[in-house]
Amino acid sequence: MADSTGARSESDLPIEPVYDASALAGFDADAKLGAPGSYPFTRGVYPSMYTGRPWTMRQYAGFGTAKESNQRYHQLVKAGTGGLSVAFDLPTQMGYDSDESIAHGEVGKVGVAIDSLDDMRTLFDGLPLDKISTSMTINAPGSTLLLLYQLVAEEQGVAGEQLTGTIQNDVLKEYIARGTYIYPPRESLRLIADIFAYCHKEMPRWNTISISGYHMAEAGATPVQEIAFTIANAIEYVRAAQAAGLHVDDFAPRLSFFFVARTTLIEEVAKFRAARRIWARIMKEDFGAQNPKSMMLRFHTQTAGVQLTAQQPEVNLVRVALQGLGAVLGGTQSLHTNSFDEAIALPTEKAARLALRTQQVIAYETDVTKTVDPFAGSYVVESMTDEIEAAALALIQAVEDKGGAVAAIEQGFQKNEIERSAYRVQLEIDNGERTVVGVNRFVLDQEDHYEPLRVDPTIEADQRARLEALRADRDNDEVKAALGRLQEAARGTDNLLYPMKEALAARATGGEVAHALREVWGTYQPRETF
């Protein structure tokens, strides 16, 4: 069919004004779709999907001190959230302690400050870690936070095999989109492979990585770029684990993914379905996976923070509802809905509760949970799914042609592609081709007053005092010896997580662990791109 309207998708693919049977000429439903819960998992990773129970409703939270965040977690659990999702402040994400000069002004600002076992103990005080699932958005120091969580659980009498949750642990996308990397890419891959092996033995129910397209999308990636670069990174992780001697079916069932849900609902549904099909075939045909769970692309979704506006922030409630609906129709396993005020500041308690209520309305007041993959067979959705699949596979091959994800990162390929897409979108907004309600159309002469949640400026001083007390109270010789053993392992081939756990149990700080590895591995210096 010819495109007579000139309409284009977010991935810059043509959108027809009308789709009919000709769009699916030669479409083989058995090969392309299969049954829900069966290869190639286009229709969902589980046979019953939400007809049995809804997705896990997570709310991303964490700010200020561990004590404040703990109070918010108790509020969310009381409101009915099914899982916690922890946000960490920038120094924690970068492997710095709160009392380091580089951390000044950032402590507790975009998440909770966690410097030590003492802080992690406070963060989860009174929360039953054998009954809740916890997702932690942490990457370069993912091993450190995982081990602190395990140590707190052990203090509660909860064994590692009882713990469920996820660490994001996807450092490759940091080099592409976010920038919170520490070590060079190849050393980071070694640490990730060690996490896979450690969790296979010690924490078998834990999702060892959440391979993330979300942050690339927030940086400007199109839906095609989002899934292509995410899956290319996943391929690199699988290869790294295999090179470390792990069998694909020993670790692949615990891989998970993290995607965005935009307001372009139809394309987002098609994107999720295409991603499942691509991953299933790569795992089966390229890596020889035998376990069906190794072929399942299980993913968490977060609604699109980049599409929220500070202007007329209540309109974000509508955006988030549509985005959340798209994620559910696309078959997500868990979902975080953004609060309407997040374009302005950290969400207030009321805004966070409304975000959770949005998910609950979708789950319990609509009929979208009563049938699996309701868009299956749709002319437009199946056509878009095929087109996104083909475009994403071509982009994955482009990464492979450059030597794989790490080599492409070192050449600046993914970053340049995303920046070009982001520039195109911004031009469309600036010249009015793309409507953003409340920003370039339907604007108000004067915005209503909004009082945002503010972070207590004394948090940094309090964290510094806690660290001073910790270093005075612990056995510093024991800490020094444990960090030495960690460095010795980093110079060799032993799994790093065992000596790292010893150091953290001795109350070494996250910054001290990261610095110990920096001394051995160095830090990553990005290539200049133009």
Side-chain angles (χ1 to χ4, degrees), residues 141-217:
S143 54
T144 303
L145 277 298
L146 172 70
L147 293 170
L148 289 174
Y149 188 84
Q150 185 188 17
L151 286 165
V152 170
E154 289 174 351
E155 291 177 353
Q156 291 187 5
V158 180
E161 57 265 23
Q162 295 176 272
L163 295 174
T164 60
T166 305
I167 46 171
Q168 191 163 103
N169 193 31
D170 174 13
V171 75
L172 291 183
K173 64 93 175 49
E174 297 297 322
Y175 305 108
I176 296 171
R178 286 191 74 237
T180 62
Y181 44 74
I182 301 175
Y183 320 112
R186 298 183 194 281
E187 285 76 9
S188 294
L189 281 176
R190 183 260 177 101
L191 185 53
I192 287 169
D194 282 355
I195 292 170
F196 289 173
Y198 179 87
C199 288
H200 177 65
K201 183 177 180 181
E202 308 290 345
M203 302 172 66
R205 299 175 65 196
W206 194 269
N207 295 320
T208 52
I209 194 167
S210 179
I211 307 160
S212 175
Y214 180 87
H215 303 95
M216 290 187 274

Side-chain angles (χ1 to χ4, degrees), residues 39 132 312 377 401 459 518 524 526:
Y39 184 87
I132 62 171
Q312 301 180 45
D401 291 344
I459 287 171
R518 282 184 179 99
Y524 177 65

Side-chain angles (χ1 to χ4, degrees), residues 166-486:
T166 305
I167 46 171
Q168 191 163 103
N169 193 31
D170 174 13
V171 75
L172 291 183
K173 64 93 175 49
E174 297 297 322
Y175 305 108
I176 296 171
R178 286 191 74 237
T180 62
Y181 44 74
I182 301 175
Y183 320 112
R186 298 183 194 281
E187 285 76 9
S188 294
L189 281 176
R190 183 260 177 101
L191 185 53
I192 287 169
D194 282 355
I195 292 170
F196 289 173
Y198 179 87
C199 288
H200 177 65
K201 183 177 180 181
E202 308 290 345
M203 302 172 66
R205 299 175 65 196
W206 194 269
N207 295 320
T208 52
I209 194 167
S210 179
I211 307 160
S212 175
Y214 180 87
H215 303 95
M216 290 187 274
E218 292 284 280
T222 67
V224 164
Q225 290 172 335
E226 178 192 355
I227 63 170
F229 292 148
T230 301
I231 290 175
N233 287 348
I235 290 169
E236 197 81 71
Y237 294 133
V238 172
R239 287 174 178 157
Q242 288 183 320
L246 299 176
H247 188 275
V248 65
D249 286 328
D250 285 342
F251 65 87
R254 303 317 306 174
L255 303 180
S256 65
F257 292 77
F258 175 26
F259 294 119
V260 77
R262 302 169 179 80
T263 51
T264 44
L265 186 148
I266 297 173
E267 186 179 13
E268 292 298 286
V269 171
K271 176 193 78 177
F272 295 132
R273 299 169 87 251
R276 276 194 295 270
R277 195 155 72 206
I278 292 169
W279 182 244
R281 288 181 176 155
I282 286 172
M283 293 306 288
K284 181 178 181 178
E285 297 175 9
D286 295 354
F287 290 108
Q290 300 295 314
N291 185 346
K293 291 183 178 179
S294 298
M295 307 172 205
M296 294 179 182
L297 186 142
R298 298 171 301 110
F299 63 95
H300 170 70
T301 308
Q302 182 173 336
T303 55
V306 74
Q307 290 187 318
L308 302 184
T309 63
Q311 300 93 330
Q312 301 180 45
E314 293 85 356
V315 178
N316 294 328
L317 289 164
V318 181
R319 293 187 178 103
V320 169
L322 289 170
Q323 293 162 358
L325 181 60
V328 170
L329 291 169
T332 192
Q333 276 58 71
S334 66
L335 176 62
H336 163 80
T337 34
N338 289 326
S339 300
F340 75 90
D341 53 358
E342 287 187 43
I344 303 171
L346 289 168
T348 61
E349 180 183 345
K350 180 178 181 181
R353 186 171 60 248
L354 281 170
L356 176 59
R357 294 289 183 256
T358 301
Q359 295 198 49
Q360 291 165 338
V361 168
I362 294 171
Y364 301 112
E365 293 191 21
T366 74
D367 57 3
V368 299
T369 60
K370 291 180 171 59
T371 187
V372 178
D373 191 22
F375 282 173
S378 158
Y379 297 140
V380 62
V381 169
E382 299 298 1
S383 181
M384 277 193 176
T385 300
D386 285 355
E387 289 173 354
I388 290 172
E389 178 185 18
L393 286 171
L395 197 50
I396 291 169
Q397 187 59 51
V399 172
E400 289 291 288
D401 291 344
K402 294 184 178 298
V406 169
I409 286 167
E410 291 170 344
Q411 296 169 52
F413 174 67
Q414 300 97 318
K415 189 171 185 289
N416 283 345
E417 291 295 301
I418 290 170
E419 287 174 353
R420 272 197 287 269
S421 296
Y423 181 65
R424 172 177 61 84
V425 169
Q426 191 58 54
L427 283 180
E428 290 171 359
I429 293 171
D430 291 346
N431 64 27
E433 290 179 42
R434 177 185 294 256
T435 295
V436 181
V437 173
V439 175
N440 62 1
R441 288 188 70 188
F442 314 112
V443 299
L444 296 176
D445 293 333
Q446 183 174 348
E447 293 286 338
D448 294 336
H449 176 72
Y450 175 81
E451 187 60 38
L453 179 70
R454 301 190 186 279
V455 175
D456 188 341
T458 65
I459 287 171
E460 184 173 330
D462 291 344
Q463 282 297 112
R464 295 175 70 90
R466 285 169 61 82
L467 281 165
E468 184 179 3
L470 177 141
R471 294 190 176 106
D473 183 59
R474 71 188 184 182
D475 184 334
N476 287 297
D477 289 337
E478 182 184 4
V479 170
K480 183 177 179 180
L483 291 173
R485 289 190 291 274
L486 174 63

Side-chain angles (χ1 to χ4, degrees), residues 123-144:
L123 185 66
F124 289 101
D125 182 45
L127 295 166
L129 300 190
D130 58 337
K131 294 182 174 62
I132 62 171
S133 171
T134 302
S135 174
M136 293 186 279
T137 302
I138 194 72
N139 294 287
S143 54
T144 303

Side-chain angles (χ1 to χ4, degrees), residues 68-123:
E68 288 176 296
S69 293
N70 175 263
Q71 292 169 350
R72 175 65 62 87
Y73 296 154
H74 279 280
Q75 292 165 358
L76 289 170
V77 170
K78 185 177 179 182
T81 191
L84 300 177
S85 190
V86 185
F88 297 96
D89 73 354
L90 195 56
T92 303
Q93 293 181 50
M94 297 289 289
Y96 293 108
D97 290 329
S98 296
D99 59 354
E100 297 189 56
S101 58
I102 197 170
H104 179 62
E106 294 293 340
V107 177
K109 286 289 178 68
V110 299
V112 61
I114 298 294
D115 292 314
S116 68
L117 179 58
D118 296 20
D119 288 335
M120 189 65 96
R121 189 182 293 125
T122 301
L123 185 66

